[in-house]
Amino acid sequence: MQALTIVPILAVLILVHELGHFLAARLFGIRVLEFGIGLPPRLFGMRRGGVLYSINAIPLGGFVRVVGEDSHTLGPDSLQTKPRWQRAVFFGAGAFMNLLLAFVIMMTLVGFRGEPQFHLYVAEVVPDSPAARAGWQPADRIVALDGKPVRDASELVERTERAAGRPLHVTLLRGDERIDTTVVPRENPPPGQGRTGIRVVIEPAARLTVATVQPGSPADLAGLRPGDRLVRVAGYPAEDAAVYFLLIQQHAGKAIEITVERDRQLLTVTIHVPPSTSGETPNLGMTLRPTLVTAPVPLWRIPLEAARQTAIMVIQMVQGLAMLLRGEASLSDLAGPIGMGQLTSELLAISPEPAWVTLGHLAALLSINLAILNLIPFPALDGGRLFFVLIEAIRGRRISPEKEGLIHLIGFAILLTLMFIIAFADIGRLLSGESLLR
């Protein structure tokens, strides 16, 4: 049933997209014949101000029908007789509204949810490396470089690169102990080791709650129960999933103390961690449910942070599309409405966020996806129509409306065929039990 959540999400995204075209048409005096929600056949409609507002049977689309899109009507209120820049704005207005919607969604999420706090950990230290000589250990949290906070792995790499060959003061957090160290990043490190000789992991801050306990497992024998909240692991605050797994791996084959909160009381148990096999994290026989911890964002920063996150999603979407065109990504990764429903269900099942946050992120991502895909210069898409306007501007005269209409008709047929192929692939994925999050 969670998969059906995608239906109202897609309906809103498409409605907003078509609203962009509708508002642009009204702004430039282009007569709107019909504003349709869903795709034909029509169920019912209502006429207001000369516009037919219709509800259609297939709830996965929408359209705005204007005078002149058939290439034959050339009156003053026709799309065909409007200046190039007005036609370009009309064709691009839907994508603009989807980008604006994504920004508004991100502002809402940032404003009400806050922003996650990320922790950067040392996951592995290469023997005889600068980090090893400085005394770094797995599960150490990297807090600051030269007294300045470090937020993510890319910032760590960049600042370490700049410090090659000179002492770099690094502040670590080991359990509750704050440790100041000095490391000298290598100018010519061995291949695959990096300048300091460490591997890092980054993880958002989260409260960890025991979700399930397997009977007869080490966790069960130690007395852990579903609903217990982890407070400390081997003396370290249990502030995210990364430190838990790093410490479990570090104590493979040994006993470890875990403090949990149960019924508002603290309880410390000793668990005998199984030996590690093939370098994998030992299995204690319990699953954890993380609940992300966020920090409030000042009002003045909310639009800036929302714009930053929206821009990141746009860049990632463009990069993903470029990889697909270059053959670096599989066509099996494409998904239609059915696949999006499957994705929604899977995300809701594994996300540590509240459902409204997960669905908000998904809606913003799909809104950006809809905007970018519609701007691809392919016939029948908004980008294809914008491309014809660009050709007209370069040539100084228009391509025959009849020829352009025929090209868009062929493009529309190709798009419909592609939609059916993707739908069959989505159904096949569902029947085989294959996940979209593999």
Side-chain angles (χ1 to χ4, degrees):
M1 295 303 296
Q2 288 181 331
L4 296 179
T5 312
I6 197 63
V7 176
I9 290 177
L10 289 178
V12 170
L13 300 186
I14 295 169
L15 177 63
V16 168
H17 183 92
E18 298 303 330
L19 181 62
H21 294 308
F22 178 82
L23 294 176
R26 286 302 183 98
L27 178 64
F28 300 134
I30 303 169
R31 185 151 62 93
V32 179
L33 299 175
E34 184 176 359
F35 188 123
I37 299 175
L39 297 177
R42 183 184 304 154
L43 297 177
F44 60 88
M46 176 179 61
R47 191 172 297 276
R48 287 284 181 86
V51 180
L52 175 63
Y53 297 91
S54 63
I55 302 295
N56 299 276
I58 303 176
L60 296 176
F63 60 92
V64 169
R65 192 160 55 89
V66 300
V67 170
E69 65 179 349
D70 59 2
S71 307
H72 298 297
T73 308
L74 301 176
D77 57 358
S78 169
L79 174 66
Q80 298 294 331
T81 59
K82 298 301 177 182
R84 282 191 293 266
W85 71 271
Q86 291 187 3
R87 282 182 280 131
V89 171
F90 172 79
F91 293 134
F96 171 78
M97 287 292 286
N98 280 128
L99 292 175
L100 180 61
L101 175 62
F103 172 70
V104 171
I105 292 173
M106 295 312 300
M107 276 192 61
T108 303
L109 292 176
V110 171
F112 285 94
R113 164 184 169 269
E115 59 183 351
Q117 305 297 295
F118 289 93
H119 298 154
L120 186 64
Y121 289 98
V122 176
E124 182 182 350
V125 180
V126 177
D128 199 33
S129 64
R133 289 191 290 272
W136 295 10
Q137 301 176 9
D140 286 346
R141 190 197 303 177
I142 301 173
V143 177
L145 303 178
D146 283 336
K148 297 180 180 179
V150 58
R151 300 171 187 271
D152 55 46
S154 61
E155 184 180 356
L156 173 66
V157 171
E158 179 185 346
R159 291 168 66 178
T160 304
E161 291 282 337
R162 292 203 305 261
R166 69 167 179 83
L168 178 66
H169 300 289
V170 182
T171 303
L172 305 174
L173 196 62
R174 184 174 298 162
D176 295 319
E177 183 183 3
R178 196 176 182 92
I179 302 173
D180 291 317
T181 67
T182 300
V183 67
V184 180
R186 296 174 288 200
E187 294 185 272
N188 298 298
Q193 290 192 14
R195 297 199 181 276
T196 58
I198 62 171
R199 180 174 62 85
V200 299
V201 294
I202 187 168
E203 188 79 11
R207 291 187 296 272
L208 304 177
T209 304
V210 177
T212 62
V213 177
Q214 183 180 346
S217 66
D220 182 43
L221 296 176
L224 291 180
R225 304 174 187 171
D228 289 346
R229 184 176 70 84
L230 272 62
V231 178
R232 301 186 76 81
V233 178
Y236 286 63
E239 296 179 332
D240 54 57
V243 71
Y244 167 80
F245 287 111
L246 287 172
L247 291 169
I248 295 300
Q249 194 166 27
Q250 193 174 325
H251 288 78
K254 304 175 185 177
I256 188 173
E257 286 191 345
I258 295 181
T259 300
V260 300
E261 181 183 1
R262 179 187 300 166
D263 299 328
R264 298 185 179 181
Q265 293 184 344
L266 296 181
L267 173 68
T268 299
V269 300
T270 300
I271 296 182
H272 295 279
V273 182
S276 177
T277 57
S278 305
E280 296 182 356
T281 302
N283 183 9
L284 298 187
M286 66 177 180
T287 59
L288 299 178
R289 182 176 66 251
T291 303
L292 294 192
V293 176
T294 59
V297 179
L299 285 176
W300 66 270
R301 272 195 55 221
I302 291 176
L304 299 178
E305 182 63 21
R308 185 185 72 84
Q309 294 189 25
T310 303
I312 289 174
M313 287 192 288
V314 170
I315 292 170
Q316 291 174 341
M317 195 70 64
V318 172
Q319 290 174 340
L321 183 60
M323 290 175 61
L324 189 66
L325 294 176
R326 292 195 301 263
E328 298 173 4
S330 173
L331 290 174
S332 63
D333 293 331
L334 293 177
I338 298 173
M340 291 178 193
Q342 178 187 354
L343 177 64
T344 303
S345 178
E346 292 179 354
L347 285 174
L348 288 172
I350 69 169
S351 175
E353 300 269 28
W356 69 273
V357 175
T358 302
L359 293 175
H361 275 292
L362 180 63
L365 190 65
L366 292 179
S367 192
I368 292 172
N369 181 286
L370 183 60
I372 293 176
L373 290 182
N374 263 281
L375 291 178
I376 294 176
F378 188 85
L381 294 176
D382 294 333
R385 298 179 185 278
L386 281 168
F387 184 68
F388 273 92
V389 175
L390 177 62
I391 292 177
E392 177 186 336
I394 294 173
R395 297 175 72 224
R397 57 190 177 87
R398 298 190 62 173
I399 295 175
S400 166
E402 290 76 14
K403 291 182 180 178
E404 180 181 343
L406 178 61
I407 292 173
H408 288 312
L409 181 62
I410 295 172
F412 183 69
I414 294 174
L415 289 175
L416 279 180
T417 303
L418 182 61
M419 286 176 62
F420 278 112
I421 293 173
I422 293 175
F424 280 115
D426 287 342
I427 294 172
R429 188 189 300 110
L430 278 175
L431 294 177
S432 67
E434 184 181 354
S435 171
L436 271 167
L437 299 177
R438 63 188 184 281

